[in-house]
Structure formats: C-alpha cells, structure tokens
Amino acid sequence: ELLPGGDPNSPAVLDWRPMLIEILKDLHRRTDSAIIAARFHNTLVAMLAAIAGRVAESRIVLSGGCFQNKRLTEHALVRLRRAGFEVLIHRQVPPNDGGISLGQAAIAARQPGVYP
C-alpha cells in the first residue's frame, strides 16, 4: 500500500503491514505456499506500479538481484507496459552483482588516467 504524502515531491512511503498481515493469515489458514508466494509477488508488482506511477518518467529500468526472479520480472513487465511505460530489462548482463561489477568496470575505464 502506497501511503499518501502531502507533498507530491516528498519520498513515497510503502506500507508493508497489510501484506505481512495477509501472509500471516494465510500461514495460519495453512494456505498452500505456492499461493502465498504468488500473492506476495503480485503485491510487489502492485507496489512497483504504484511507485512508477508517481515518477514523472516514461522509461522504467528493472535491475537488481530480485529481477532474476522470472515471475516477478514478467509480471512487472506486463503491468508496467500496460500502464504505458517503456520498460528496460537485462538481456546480456545479469541484473545482480555481475552486472554491477561490469558497470563499475565500464565507469572506471572511462576515468582519465585509470588505464593508459
């Protein structure tokens, strides 16, 4: 749940409590773990879409280790594209630490005096 802020330029605040409460209820009801996981991922995608909707950008980049998760990435892509965003994802470089390392090396290589 995205908590409303008084100032549109203020940082967005996500309230994780409703999701956690529902997970605990599902665990108490002995809901199948696959269903709990699907609901969790759907909630993350909804939160991502809510934050993207606050940003005055038409291009969204999905990066980081969590986007190694196929379900999360695919659902986020669909939801964000349907909302009109251009969504960029990793294709040749991993979204986790390997991609970060490559980016750091690329930046270092462009610094004067680092490499002759």
Side-chain angles (χ1 to χ4, degrees), residues 85-99:
F85 292 100
E86 176 187 0
V87 184
L88 304 177
I89 61 169
H90 292 264
R91 294 182 192 268
Q92 297 178 332
V93 176
N96 60 6
D97 291 348

Side-chain angles (χ1 to χ4, degrees), residues 14-91:
L14 292 171
D15 185 358
W16 295 83
R17 289 174 295 183
M19 179 184 66
L20 295 173
I21 289 167
E22 291 304 315
I23 289 172
L24 292 172
K25 286 179 184 176
D26 280 345
L27 290 171
H28 181 72
R29 290 188 293 254
R30 299 183 191 275
T31 302
D32 184 85
S33 61
I35 293 171
I36 297 171
R39 290 176 178 162
F40 170 76
H41 287 99
N42 291 341
T43 301
L44 290 181
V45 169
M47 291 174 146
L48 177 63
I51 294 294
R54 271 187 61 129
V55 179
E57 297 291 334
S58 60
R59 183 178 291 162
I60 303 292
V61 179
L62 302 180
S63 184
C66 62
F67 291 105
Q68 292 180 101
N69 181 301
K70 184 177 178 176
R71 179 187 176 92
L72 179 64
T73 302
E74 289 176 353
H75 286 229
L77 275 170
V78 168
R79 178 123 183 212
L80 291 168
R81 285 179 177 158
R82 282 186 184 156
F85 292 100
E86 176 187 0
V87 184
L88 304 177
I89 61 169
H90 292 264
R91 294 182 192 268

